[in-house]
Amino acid sequence: MSEILELEDITKTFGGIIALDGFEGSVAADDITGLIGPNGAGKTTLFNVITGALDPDSGTVRFQGEDVTRERAHKICRKGIARTFQTPKPIRSLTVEKNLRVAHRFGGSDSTLDEEELYQRTLEFFDLGKKQNVRTENLQLIEQKQVDVARALMSAPTLLLLDEIMAGLTPTEKIDMCETIKQLNSEFDIAVLLIEHDLKRMRSISDTIIAMNNGRHLLTGSPTEVLEDDGLQEAYIGK
Ligand SMILES: Nc1ncnc2c1ncn2[C@@H]1O[C@H](COP(=O)(O)OP(=O)(O)OP(=O)(O)O)[C@@H](O)[C@H]1O
Ligand SMILES: [Mg+2]
């Protein structure tokens, strides 16, 4: 099993706040990996460091064996890491089509697929053909979330980071979103690192779960190993 992403001793502080405190972890190339931890654990900060939105104070981010620490965000995207944000980022006044094309132009891609192929493939995957001329502000929440993921796919990533993509969805919509993520992983060979507070969904979707707290790695293992660990339950309940 090869590692697509390796994180070594990552520290990030904001003034006196230690958001990441020597975080260590890795993501396997074939897996859906869940990242869990209480509010303020440092999960989003970790995504920001991985994607180049923030520079760490120290530590190394290695993607496909290459040191990408402190690379610019668009360069990291071009290398194959795409993300969604905890607060959805589609441009509300633009149509679905414009949103996807803008995402491609910003992120670019080193893939052999050109913009048109990526656009058609992504539209078809999400069955968004009939909505391509609709402004995203007029879409339902689930469709807006799909557009968020679709935007990330427009750079043909090999690693997709999803920050609470299921927040606000109904239980049925969450199940559908999980199916979408599983398909992306199996059909498009995309490794997924997923932040999610709904541990029931996390158990059903993840091959591996990484638990963190206070900016540190706590535990990595199968969903059962991690979610039934006594120390982990303390980290949640004792917060
Ligand atoms: N830009 C920032 N400036 C100052 N402090 C920040 C900044 N970003 C994050 N923090 C702090 O760093 C810590 C980790 O925050 P982070 O957003 O990474 O947590 P999280 O695990 O994503 O939490 P949640 O589950 O609530 O989204 C928190 O104490 C937060 O207040
Ligand atoms: Mg967060």
Side-chain angles (χ1 to χ4, degrees):
M1 186 171 64
S2 69
E3 311 294 356
I4 193 166
L5 182 74
E6 294 155 286
L7 304 165
E8 295 163 11
D9 204 11
I10 310 268
T11 294
K12 177 69 192 173
T13 54
F14 298 103
I17 298 168
I18 305 172
L20 295 173
D21 187 7
F23 184 89
E24 300 270 349
S26 62
V27 172
D30 299 331
D31 278 3
I32 296 176
T33 303
L35 178 62
I36 63 169
N39 293 117
K43 305 180 298 295
T44 297
T45 305
L46 194 62
F47 273 22
N48 286 335
V49 167
I50 295 167
T51 55
L54 286 175
D55 283 342
D57 300 346
S58 58
T60 306
V61 179
R62 227 178 279 285
F63 177 59
Q64 293 174 325
E66 182 188 353
D67 184 347
V68 296
T69 324
R70 294 184 188 81
E71 281 276 19
R72 303 280 297 278
H74 70 275
K75 284 204 177 155
I76 291 182
C77 187
R78 199 168 276 267
K79 286 179 192 294
I81 304 182
R83 75 178 295 183
T84 63
F85 291 84
Q86 193 163 349
T87 314
K89 293 276 186 190
I91 304 160
R92 295 176 57 79
S93 60
L94 294 187
T95 62
V96 169
E97 176 170 3
K98 281 262 165 59
N99 262 284
L100 266 56
R101 293 193 186 278
V102 166
H104 180 77
R105 277 160 212 168
F106 168 75
S109 170
D110 284 346
S111 153
T112 51
L113 295 172
D114 68 12
E115 177 179 327
E116 208 46 49
E117 283 171 299
L118 274 167
Y119 179 65
Q120 292 305 335
R121 184 181 87 161
T122 306
L123 212 57
E124 195 177 312
F125 180 77
F126 286 103
D127 201 15
L128 279 167
K130 289 200 187 105
K131 301 282 169 106
Q132 56 185 320
N133 296 319
V134 176
R135 289 207 298 267
T136 55
E137 63 193 354
N138 295 324
L139 295 176
Q140 293 172 3
L141 181 66
I142 176 76
E143 293 166 333
Q144 291 186 8
K145 301 248 180 187
Q146 288 171 340
V147 171
D148 245 12
V149 181
R151 281 163 52 91
L153 293 184
M154 286 301 288
S155 56
T158 45
L159 173 63
L160 179 61
L161 310 184
L162 301 172
D163 194 348
E164 300 197 30
I165 193 72
M166 288 183 261
L169 298 182
T170 66
T172 317
E173 288 170 341
K174 282 187 186 182
I175 291 169
D176 288 348
M177 184 57 88
C178 281
E179 280 312 308
T180 299
I181 296 166
K182 282 185 188 166
Q183 265 179 299
L184 287 175
N185 175 248
S186 60
E187 285 177 26
F188 293 170
D189 282 332
I190 299 175
V192 178
L193 180 61
L194 170 83
I195 298 173
E196 173 57 45
H197 284 288
D198 181 337
L199 299 183
K200 191 172 162 208
R201 294 271 66 80
M202 233 14 169
R203 185 188 284 271
S204 73
I205 194 175
S206 306
D207 299 300
T208 302
I209 291 183
I210 299 171
M212 69 181 295
N213 195 15
N214 297 323
R216 284 191 214 126
H217 172 266
L218 279 182
L219 193 62
T220 297
S222 70
T224 306
E225 280 165 349
V226 173
L227 296 175
E228 291 172 14
D229 181 83
D230 291 342
L232 178 90
Q233 295 186 4
E234 250 170 55
Y236 269 88
I237 298 159
K239 76 184 161 100

